[in-house]
Amino acid sequence: MATKNFNAFEMAQAQFDKVAEQLELDLATKALLRQPLREYHFSIPVHMDDGSYQVFRGFRVQHNDARGPGKGGIRFHPQETVDTVKALAMWMTWKCSVVDIPLGGSKGGVICDPHNLSLREQEQLCRGWVRQLSKDVGPLRDVPAPDVMTNAQHMLWMLDEFEAINGAKYPGLITGKPIGMGGSLGRTEATGYGVIFTVREALKEHNIKPENTVAAVQGFGNVAQYAIELFEHIGGKVICVSCWDQEDQISYTFKKKDGIDLKTLLGITDRFGGINKIKAKDLGYEVLPGDKWIEQEVDILLPCALENQVTADTVTKIKPSVKFIAEGANGPTTPEADKVIQEKNIFIIPDFLANAGGVTCSYFEQVQSNMNYYWEKDEVLSRLDEKMTSAYLKVSELARQRKLYMRDAAYVIAIKRVAQACKDRGWV
Ligand code: GLU
């Protein structure tokens, strides 16, 4: 989000420029890939419950579609900016490429705070978003999905509006739909599980047993919740999570030294991942104001919230015990912090690899929707594991062979594929 001196798009461009230089990309390819192909800015008027009208700003950015239709989520957030959406669209291009699915990169957003909107108002917002873009998204063009503060219900309203406008059924328009309404089993779990598939592989490569590891998690939304579930399932322990407190407008870290209990915590959490502080204290949690999750004496850090969290300031708080960071969020680490992580020799599983499980499962959902035939959950999750594991192993092998930082190795693979597709199409 927009914080002083932080611009996610500049960060995404800086990461790209560094690797483009190493790859000796020609000038035209560099110019094409460091900017989005297209961006849409528009207004969405909504008739509010109190009878007034409010106008919201919406965006869709299509960064690159050389490898297939654009793909990427839509975020609802009060601090959304077009530069953040541009960065996220670019990261979607690399994400789809690194896991080798035939899709490009897009992202959308609306400046709004769903905490303060009724369901009816949110529905109007979703329908309005689609009305502005009905010619520019579509199953063969650009396929949206859920992201921060959007969910399956939002996707279904958007699909319904698109189908009403176009007079036919297009279940492949959008992914993350409800089960039974074109959604794929496993999609809700996919991003969080995907993070842990990569963590599991990294631990295996380092000869460490998951049952001997402890993790601290930032966030308690969809990604964090399912990452914790699978991490505990493979034997690991999570000692804290954090979340944004809407009332106090700050974050809190919820800590239990012997390990958090996912089920009971979920029982006191709202639909935005906000945990009830009083009930948590009653359950024996230490409730620490601020971002204490990063200062914990753990082996693994899992930032699963928003961008710009591991910064020049906060990176110094990471304890020497930390050996791994797996980025469940998009863009949590700034370039300055990245340098420090590299110097500290912490093994990083970069965002667009670690959290690619969501879009990979979205791809499976699209395939199922287009066939109108749905797979069993086991089949979805085992295909997901296969894709994530193979992408992880390719990146870690390249990093080892060429002594590259994991983030750079992932970029090398992703950028090369997209640059080649642009070349093969005769664009540059
Ligand atoms: N919003 C998710 C992401 O950042 C998923 C995108 C998708 O499924 O298209 O990867």
Side-chain angles (χ1 to χ4, degrees):
M1 298 291 131
T3 28
K4 247 182 280 157
N5 305 327
F6 175 74
N7 181 309
F9 187 52
E10 283 168 12
M11 167 172 151
Q13 285 188 318
Q15 292 172 341
F16 168 77
D17 289 343
K18 181 178 165 201
V19 178
E21 198 69 31
Q22 289 172 15
L23 287 175
E24 295 177 7
L25 288 188
D26 59 81
L27 283 178
T29 307
K30 256 195 261 187
L32 185 69
L33 294 181
R34 71 194 304 285
Q35 291 288 348
L37 282 177
R38 291 174 286 276
E39 57 183 276
Y40 305 90
H41 300 219
F42 46 91
S43 292
I44 310 172
V46 171
H47 194 182
M48 308 296 284
D49 291 350
D50 66 3
S52 68
Y53 287 87
Q54 255 185 50
V55 180
F56 296 87
R57 275 314 268 174
F59 310 107
R60 184 73 178 171
V61 175
Q62 296 165 349
H63 171 260
N64 190 283
D65 54 15
R67 287 174 44 87
K71 188 85 194 77
I74 303 170
R75 313 200 313 173
F76 284 177
H77 201 283
Q79 265 99 49
E80 191 62 286
T81 68
V82 74
D83 275 357
T84 313
V85 181
K86 279 160 74 169
L88 290 158
M90 199 187 211
W91 287 326
M92 283 309 302
T93 303
W94 315 136
K95 197 182 293 192
C96 293
S97 175
V98 83
V99 284
D100 207 6
I101 55 178
L103 295 167
S106 292
K107 202 80 172 197
V110 177
I111 307 174
C112 70
D113 190 347
H115 289 95
N116 307 327
L117 297 171
S118 70
L119 283 180
R120 194 200 65 85
E121 289 164 344
Q122 292 180 43
E123 178 180 348
Q124 298 313 306
L125 204 49
C126 290
R127 292 186 185 278
W129 193 91
V130 169
R131 278 202 292 276
Q132 297 299 337
L133 284 171
S134 63
K135 296 276 178 291
D136 305 300
V137 292
L140 302 175
R141 202 175 166 98
D142 181 9
V143 181
D147 203 285
V148 171
M149 288 206 269
T150 54
N151 59 35
Q153 175 64 76
H154 297 116
M155 299 305 111
L156 187 57
W157 285 325
M158 289 181 166
L159 175 66
D160 187 66
E161 188 66 24
F162 185 83
E163 292 180 338
I165 292 170
N166 289 290
K169 297 296 173 196
Y170 292 96
L173 163 76
I174 205 159
T175 60
K177 301 181 291 293
I179 305 303
M181 293 300 290
S184 172
L185 292 166
R187 176 64 186 84
T188 314
E189 295 88 340
T191 314
Y193 279 14
V195 172
I196 302 306
F197 290 147
T198 66
V199 168
R200 180 198 63 201
E201 292 306 308
L203 292 175
K204 216 186 277 172
E205 284 183 334
H206 289 81
N207 281 322
I208 298 172
K209 290 205 165 74
E211 49 269 39
N212 296 334
T213 63
V214 177
V217 177
Q218 185 193 28
F220 200 53
N222 169 267
V223 181
Q225 290 173 9
Y226 287 101
I228 294 169
E229 185 180 288
L230 189 60
F231 184 63
E232 290 183 342
H233 181 76
I234 64 170
K237 181 162 91 179
V238 174
I239 57 152
C240 71
V241 299
S242 79
C243 71
W244 179 251
D245 190 86
Q246 187 63 11
E247 202 177 31
D248 298 354
Q249 293 285 301
I250 57 161
S251 304
Y252 285 98
T253 297
F254 297 77
K255 182 175 175 188
K256 211 175 219 179
K257 266 198 243 109
D258 308 334
I260 62 146
D261 183 59
L262 182 61
K263 268 213 186 90
T264 50
L265 264 190
L266 284 172
I268 57 165
T269 301
D270 68 22
R271 68 199 153 100
F272 302 107
I275 303 170
N276 184 308
K277 297 189 291 285
I278 297 164
K279 290 185 183 164
K281 274 187 195 150
D282 287 348
L283 288 168
Y285 285 84
E286 284 177 73
V287 181
L288 311 161
D291 281 326
K292 293 281 188 291
W293 67 275
I294 204 168
E295 304 175 19
Q296 301 304 315
E297 195 91 35
V298 292
D299 309 287
I300 305 172
L301 291 177
L302 298 171
C304 297
L306 292 172
E307 59 278 1
N308 192 27
Q309 300 302 311
V310 185
T311 63
D313 288 340
T314 59
V315 74
T316 56
K317 298 182 184 162
I318 296 179
K319 292 276 183 318
S321 62
V322 173
K323 298 286 174 299
F324 300 88
I325 299 177
E327 298 177 323
N330 290 312
T333 307
T334 65
E336 301 78 42
D338 227 9
K339 274 194 203 125
V340 179
I341 290 171
Q342 209 168 344
E343 281 158 20
K344 285 184 185 230
N345 227 349
I346 298 175
F347 188 86
I348 198 157
I349 310 175
D351 50 2
F352 66 90
L353 170 64
N355 71 34
V359 76
T360 303
C361 195
S362 273
Y363 165 57
F364 298 154
E365 180 175 330
Q366 235 199 322
V367 170
Q368 295 169 80
S369 285
N370 291 339
M371 291 191 300
N372 211 5
Y373 179 80
Y374 291 86
W375 309 339
E376 297 301 326
K377 189 168 180 179
D378 279 356
E379 181 169 1
V380 176
L381 292 178
S382 69
R383 283 178 195 258
L384 179 68
D385 194 346
E386 219 173 276
K387 272 269 176 215
M388 292 299 294
T389 301
S390 124
Y392 171 86
L393 292 176
K394 280 211 174 74
V395 172
S396 77
E397 194 187 332
L398 183 72
R400 243 187 339 270
Q401 272 173 2
R402 299 238 226 117
K403 298 198 173 18
L404 291 174
Y405 186 46
M406 276 292 279
R407 191 185 310 282
D408 295 344
Y411 264 115
V412 166
I413 291 175
I415 293 175
K416 261 190 176 171
R417 286 183 183 147
V418 180
Q420 191 61 47
C422 294
K423 222 157 231 73
D424 291 347
R425 282 177 182 273
W427 288 358
V428 279

Short mmCIF file of all heavy atoms in Angstrom, two decimals, residues 156-199:
data_model
loop_
_atom_site.label_atom_id
_atom_site.label_comp_id
_atom_site.label_asym_id
_atom_site.label_seq_id
_atom_site.Cartn_x
_atom_site.Cartn_y
_atom_site.Cartn_z
N LEU A 156 -18.54 -14.30 -7.83
CA LEU A 156 -19.81 -14.75 -8.43
C LEU A 156 -20.66 -13.56 -8.90
O LEU A 156 -21.26 -13.60 -9.98
CB LEU A 156 -20.58 -15.62 -7.43
CG LEU A 156 -21.83 -16.29 -7.99
CD1 LEU A 156 -21.51 -17.16 -9.21
CD2 LEU A 156 -22.52 -17.14 -6.93
N TRP A 157 -20.68 -12.49 -8.12
CA TRP A 157 -21.41 -11.28 -8.55
C TRP A 157 -20.80 -10.75 -9.85
O TRP A 157 -21.51 -10.34 -10.76
CB TRP A 157 -21.34 -10.19 -7.47
CG TRP A 157 -22.23 -10.43 -6.28
CD1 TRP A 157 -23.47 -11.02 -6.28
CD2 TRP A 157 -21.98 -10.07 -4.91
NE1 TRP A 157 -23.98 -11.05 -5.00
CE2 TRP A 157 -23.10 -10.47 -4.15
CE3 TRP A 157 -20.91 -9.44 -4.25
CZ2 TRP A 157 -23.18 -10.27 -2.76
CZ3 TRP A 157 -20.99 -9.24 -2.88
CH2 TRP A 157 -22.11 -9.65 -2.15
N MET A 158 -19.47 -10.77 -9.90
CA MET A 158 -18.80 -10.25 -11.11
C MET A 158 -19.13 -11.13 -12.32
O MET A 158 -19.42 -10.63 -13.41
CB MET A 158 -17.29 -10.19 -10.90
CG MET A 158 -16.91 -9.08 -9.93
SD MET A 158 -15.15 -8.97 -9.70
CE MET A 158 -15.03 -7.37 -8.89
N LEU A 159 -19.10 -12.44 -12.10
CA LEU A 159 -19.43 -13.37 -13.19
C LEU A 159 -20.87 -13.14 -13.66
O LEU A 159 -21.15 -13.07 -14.87
CB LEU A 159 -19.26 -14.82 -12.71
CG LEU A 159 -19.69 -15.88 -13.72
CD1 LEU A 159 -18.77 -15.87 -14.94
CD2 LEU A 159 -19.70 -17.27 -13.10
N ASP A 160 -21.77 -13.00 -12.70
CA ASP A 160 -23.18 -12.84 -13.04
C ASP A 160 -23.39 -11.58 -13.88
O ASP A 160 -24.15 -11.58 -14.86
CB ASP A 160 -24.01 -12.76 -11.74
CG ASP A 160 -25.49 -12.77 -12.05
OD1 ASP A 160 -25.97 -13.81 -12.55
OD2 ASP A 160 -26.15 -11.74 -11.84
N GLU A 161 -22.71 -10.51 -13.52
CA GLU A 161 -22.84 -9.26 -14.29
C GLU A 161 -22.30 -9.44 -15.71
O GLU A 161 -22.92 -9.01 -16.68
CB GLU A 161 -22.08 -8.14 -13.57
CG GLU A 161 -22.29 -6.75 -14.14
CD GLU A 161 -23.72 -6.23 -13.97
OE1 GLU A 161 -24.43 -6.70 -13.05
OE2 GLU A 161 -24.12 -5.37 -14.78
N PHE A 162 -21.16 -10.10 -15.82
CA PHE A 162 -20.54 -10.31 -17.14
C PHE A 162 -21.46 -11.16 -18.02
O PHE A 162 -21.65 -10.87 -19.21
CB PHE A 162 -19.19 -11.01 -16.95
CG PHE A 162 -18.40 -11.17 -18.22
CD1 PHE A 162 -17.61 -10.13 -18.70
CD2 PHE A 162 -18.43 -12.37 -18.94
CE1 PHE A 162 -16.87 -10.28 -19.88
CE2 PHE A 162 -17.70 -12.52 -20.11
CZ PHE A 162 -16.91 -11.48 -20.57
N GLU A 163 -22.06 -12.19 -17.41
CA GLU A 163 -22.94 -13.07 -18.19
C GLU A 163 -24.22 -12.34 -18.60
O GLU A 163 -24.74 -12.54 -19.70
CB GLU A 163 -23.24 -14.34 -17.40
CG GLU A 163 -21.98 -15.21 -17.24
CD GLU A 163 -22.21 -16.49 -16.45
OE1 GLU A 163 -23.19 -16.57 -15.67
OE2 GLU A 163 -21.39 -17.42 -16.61
N ALA A 164 -24.71 -11.46 -17.72
CA ALA A 164 -25.91 -10.68 -18.06
C ALA A 164 -25.61 -9.75 -19.24
O ALA A 164 -26.41 -9.63 -20.17
CB ALA A 164 -26.38 -9.88 -16.84
N ILE A 165 -24.43 -9.14 -19.21
CA ILE A 165 -24.06 -8.21 -20.30
C ILE A 165 -23.89 -8.97 -21.61
O ILE A 165 -24.33 -8.52 -22.67
CB ILE A 165 -22.74 -7.46 -19.93
CG1 ILE A 165 -23.00 -6.50 -18.76
CG2 ILE A 165 -22.18 -6.69 -21.14
CD1 ILE A 165 -21.74 -5.89 -18.16
N ASN A 166 -23.28 -10.15 -21.53
CA ASN A 166 -22.94 -10.88 -22.77
C ASN A 166 -23.97 -11.91 -23.19
O ASN A 166 -23.82 -12.52 -24.26
CB ASN A 166 -21.56 -11.53 -22.62
CG ASN A 166 -20.47 -10.47 -22.61
OD1 ASN A 166 -20.19 -9.85 -23.63
ND2 ASN A 166 -19.90 -10.22 -21.44
N GLY A 167 -24.99 -12.13 -22.38
CA GLY A 167 -26.09 -13.00 -22.77
C GLY A 167 -25.72 -14.46 -22.95
O GLY A 167 -26.32 -15.15 -23.77
N ALA A 168 -24.74 -14.94 -22.19
CA ALA A 168 -24.40 -16.37 -22.23
C ALA A 168 -23.59 -16.71 -20.99
O ALA A 168 -23.18 -15.81 -20.25
CB ALA A 168 -23.59 -16.68 -23.49
N LYS A 169 -23.38 -18.01 -20.78
CA LYS A 169 -22.61 -18.44 -19.60
C LYS A 169 -21.12 -18.48 -19.94
O LYS A 169 -20.73 -19.07 -20.97
CB LYS A 169 -23.07 -19.84 -19.16
CG LYS A 169 -24.53 -19.86 -18.71
CD LYS A 169 -24.75 -19.00 -17.47
CE LYS A 169 -26.22 -18.88 -17.13
NZ LYS A 169 -26.48 -17.78 -16.19
N TYR A 170 -20.31 -17.85 -19.11
CA TYR A 170 -18.85 -17.81 -19.32
C TYR A 170 -18.13 -18.14 -18.02
O TYR A 170 -17.46 -17.27 -17.45
CB TYR A 170 -18.42 -16.41 -19.78
CG TYR A 170 -18.90 -16.04 -21.15
CD1 TYR A 170 -20.05 -15.29 -21.33
CD2 TYR A 170 -18.18 -16.44 -22.28
CE1 TYR A 170 -20.50 -14.95 -22.60
CE2 TYR A 170 -18.61 -16.10 -23.56
CZ TYR A 170 -19.77 -15.35 -23.71
OH TYR A 170 -20.19 -15.01 -24.96
N PRO A 171 -18.27 -19.40 -17.51
CA PRO A 171 -17.67 -19.68 -16.20
C PRO A 171 -16.15 -19.49 -16.17
O PRO A 171 -15.57 -19.34 -15.10
CB PRO A 171 -18.06 -21.14 -15.94
CG PRO A 171 -18.39 -21.71 -17.28
CD PRO A 171 -18.92 -20.57 -18.10
N GLY A 172 -15.52 -19.48 -17.37
CA GLY A 172 -14.06 -19.28 -17.41
C GLY A 172 -13.66 -17.82 -17.31
O GLY A 172 -12.47 -17.50 -17.36
N LEU A 173 -14.63 -16.92 -17.12
CA LEU A 173 -14.30 -15.49 -17.00
C LEU A 173 -13.43 -15.22 -15.79
O LEU A 173 -12.54 -14.38 -15.81
CB LEU A 173 -15.57 -14.64 -16.84
CG LEU A 173 -15.27 -13.22 -16.30
CD1 LEU A 173 -14.68 -12.34 -17.37
CD2 LEU A 173 -16.46 -12.59 -15.63
N ILE A 174 -13.75 -15.93 -14.70
CA ILE A 174 -13.19 -15.52 -13.40
C ILE A 174 -12.91 -16.78 -12.58
O ILE A 174 -13.60 -17.79 -12.76
CB ILE A 174 -14.21 -14.57 -12.71
CG1 ILE A 174 -13.55 -13.63 -11.72
CG2 ILE A 174 -15.36 -15.32 -12.05
CD1 ILE A 174 -14.39 -12.39 -11.42
N THR A 175 -11.94 -16.72 -11.68
CA THR A 175 -11.67 -17.89 -10.84
C THR A 175 -11.84 -17.52 -9.37
O THR A 175 -12.03 -16.36 -9.04
CB THR A 175 -10.26 -18.46 -11.10
OG1 THR A 175 -9.31 -17.43 -10.81
CG2 THR A 175 -10.12 -18.92 -12.54
N GLY A 176 -11.79 -18.57 -8.53
CA GLY A 176 -12.06 -18.34 -7.11
C GLY A 176 -13.55 -18.28 -6.86
O GLY A 176 -14.01 -17.67 -5.89
N LYS A 177 -14.32 -18.90 -7.74
CA LYS A 177 -15.79 -18.91 -7.59
C LYS A 177 -16.19 -19.90 -6.49
O LYS A 177 -15.41 -20.80 -6.15
CB LYS A 177 -16.42 -19.34 -8.94
CG LYS A 177 -16.06 -18.42 -10.12
CD LYS A 177 -16.72 -18.84 -11.41
CE LYS A 177 -16.23 -20.13 -12.02
NZ LYS A 177 -14.85 -20.11 -12.52
N PRO A 178 -17.43 -19.80 -6.01
CA PRO A 178 -17.87 -20.76 -4.99
C PRO A 178 -17.95 -22.18 -5.58
O PRO A 178 -18.24 -22.34 -6.76
CB PRO A 178 -19.27 -20.27 -4.61
CG PRO A 178 -19.38 -18.87 -5.13
CD PRO A 178 -18.46 -18.77 -6.30
N ILE A 179 -17.71 -23.18 -4.72
CA ILE A 179 -17.85 -24.57 -5.14
C ILE A 179 -19.31 -24.80 -5.54
O ILE A 179 -20.22 -24.34 -4.87
CB ILE A 179 -17.50 -25.53 -3.97
CG1 ILE A 179 -16.09 -25.23 -3.43
CG2 ILE A 179 -17.62 -27.00 -4.38
CD1 ILE A 179 -14.98 -25.31 -4.41
N GLY A 180 -19.51 -25.50 -6.65
CA GLY A 180 -20.87 -25.74 -7.12
C GLY A 180 -21.34 -24.65 -8.08
O GLY A 180 -22.37 -24.78 -8.73
N MET A 181 -20.60 -23.56 -8.13
CA MET A 181 -20.93 -22.46 -9.06
C MET A 181 -19.72 -22.19 -9.96
O MET A 181 -19.42 -21.05 -10.29
CB MET A 181 -21.29 -21.19 -8.28
CG MET A 181 -22.57 -21.29 -7.47
SD MET A 181 -24.02 -21.62 -8.49
CE MET A 181 -24.18 -20.08 -9.36
N GLY A 182 -19.02 -23.27 -10.30
CA GLY A 182 -17.88 -23.13 -11.21
C GLY A 182 -16.54 -23.04 -10.50
O GLY A 182 -15.50 -22.89 -11.15
N GLY A 183 -16.56 -23.10 -9.17
CA GLY A 183 -15.30 -23.04 -8.43
C GLY A 183 -14.60 -24.38 -8.40
O GLY A 183 -15.23 -25.42 -8.64
N SER A 184 -13.30 -24.36 -8.12
CA SER A 184 -12.55 -25.62 -8.03
C SER A 184 -12.34 -25.99 -6.58
O SER A 184 -12.01 -25.12 -5.75
CB SER A 184 -11.18 -25.46 -8.69
OG SER A 184 -10.40 -26.61 -8.45
N LEU A 185 -12.51 -27.26 -6.27
CA LEU A 185 -12.12 -27.73 -4.94
C LEU A 185 -10.64 -27.43 -4.78
O LEU A 185 -9.87 -27.49 -5.75
CB LEU A 185 -12.38 -29.24 -4.83
CG LEU A 185 -13.87 -29.63 -4.84
CD1 LEU A 185 -14.02 -31.12 -5.08
CD2 LEU A 185 -14.53 -29.23 -3.53
N GLY A 186 -10.25 -27.06 -3.58
CA GLY A 186 -8.83 -26.80 -3.32
C GLY A 186 -8.40 -25.37 -3.59
O GLY A 186 -7.31 -24.98 -3.18
N ARG A 187 -9.22 -24.56 -4.25
CA ARG A 187 -8.77 -23.19 -4.58
C ARG A 187 -8.57 -22.35 -3.33
O ARG A 187 -7.64 -21.56 -3.24
CB ARG A 187 -9.78 -22.52 -5.54
CG ARG A 187 -9.45 -21.05 -5.87
CD ARG A 187 -8.13 -20.92 -6.62
NE ARG A 187 -7.69 -19.55 -6.85
CZ ARG A 187 -7.01 -18.81 -5.97
NH1 ARG A 187 -6.72 -19.29 -4.77
NH2 ARG A 187 -6.62 -17.61 -6.28
N THR A 188 -9.47 -22.53 -2.34
CA THR A 188 -9.35 -21.73 -1.11
C THR A 188 -8.05 -22.05 -0.38
O THR A 188 -7.39 -21.17 0.17
CB THR A 188 -10.54 -22.05 -0.17
OG1 THR A 188 -11.72 -22.02 -0.96
CG2 THR A 188 -10.68 -21.06 0.95
N GLU A 189 -7.67 -23.32 -0.40
CA GLU A 189 -6.48 -23.74 0.32
C GLU A 189 -5.20 -23.44 -0.47
O GLU A 189 -4.09 -23.39 0.09
CB GLU A 189 -6.51 -25.27 0.56
CG GLU A 189 -7.61 -25.78 1.46
CD GLU A 189 -8.92 -26.10 0.70
OE1 GLU A 189 -9.11 -25.59 -0.42
OE2 GLU A 189 -9.75 -26.86 1.24
N ALA A 190 -5.35 -23.27 -1.81
CA ALA A 190 -4.20 -23.39 -2.72
C ALA A 190 -3.01 -22.47 -2.42
O ALA A 190 -1.87 -22.93 -2.46
CB ALA A 190 -4.66 -23.17 -4.15
N THR A 191 -3.26 -21.20 -2.14
CA THR A 191 -2.11 -20.30 -1.98
C THR A 191 -1.31 -20.68 -0.73
O THR A 191 -0.08 -20.83 -0.78
CB THR A 191 -2.55 -18.81 -1.92
OG1 THR A 191 -3.50 -18.58 -2.96
CG2 THR A 191 -1.38 -17.88 -2.08
N GLY A 192 -2.02 -20.84 0.38
CA GLY A 192 -1.34 -21.20 1.63
C GLY A 192 -0.65 -22.56 1.54
O GLY A 192 0.50 -22.72 1.97
N TYR A 193 -1.32 -23.53 1.00
CA TYR A 193 -0.71 -24.87 0.84
C TYR A 193 0.52 -24.77 -0.07
O TYR A 193 1.55 -25.39 0.19
CB TYR A 193 -1.71 -25.85 0.21
CG TYR A 193 -2.72 -26.47 1.16
CD1 TYR A 193 -2.93 -25.97 2.45
CD2 TYR A 193 -3.46 -27.58 0.77
CE1 TYR A 193 -3.87 -26.55 3.30
CE2 TYR A 193 -4.39 -28.18 1.62
CZ TYR A 193 -4.60 -27.66 2.88
OH TYR A 193 -5.52 -28.24 3.72
N GLY A 194 0.38 -23.98 -1.15
CA GLY A 194 1.50 -23.83 -2.10
C GLY A 194 2.75 -23.31 -1.40
O GLY A 194 3.86 -23.77 -1.65
N VAL A 195 2.55 -22.34 -0.50
CA VAL A 195 3.70 -21.78 0.24
C VAL A 195 4.41 -22.93 0.97
O VAL A 195 5.64 -23.05 0.93
CB VAL A 195 3.22 -20.71 1.26
CG1 VAL A 195 4.36 -20.27 2.16
CG2 VAL A 195 2.58 -19.51 0.55
N ILE A 196 3.61 -23.79 1.60
CA ILE A 196 4.22 -24.84 2.42
C ILE A 196 4.81 -25.97 1.56
O ILE A 196 5.79 -26.61 1.95
CB ILE A 196 3.21 -25.36 3.48
CG1 ILE A 196 2.76 -24.19 4.37
CG2 ILE A 196 3.81 -26.49 4.33
CD1 ILE A 196 3.87 -23.39 5.04
N PHE A 197 4.26 -26.20 0.38
CA PHE A 197 4.92 -27.18 -0.51
C PHE A 197 6.36 -26.73 -0.79
O PHE A 197 7.28 -27.54 -0.80
CB PHE A 197 4.16 -27.31 -1.84
CG PHE A 197 2.81 -27.99 -1.74
CD1 PHE A 197 1.76 -27.61 -2.58
CD2 PHE A 197 2.58 -29.01 -0.84
CE1 PHE A 197 0.51 -28.23 -2.50
CE2 PHE A 197 1.33 -29.64 -0.74
CZ PHE A 197 0.30 -29.24 -1.59
N THR A 198 6.54 -25.42 -0.99
CA THR A 198 7.90 -24.94 -1.28
C THR A 198 8.76 -24.98 -0.01
O THR A 198 9.94 -25.33 -0.08
CB THR A 198 7.91 -23.52 -1.88
OG1 THR A 198 7.43 -22.58 -0.93
CG2 THR A 198 7.08 -23.43 -3.16
N VAL A 199 8.16 -24.67 1.13
CA VAL A 199 8.92 -24.73 2.40
C VAL A 199 9.37 -26.18 2.65
O VAL A 199 10.52 -26.45 3.01
CB VAL A 199 8.06 -24.22 3.59
CG1 VAL A 199 8.72 -24.55 4.92
CG2 VAL A 199 7.81 -22.72 3.46
#
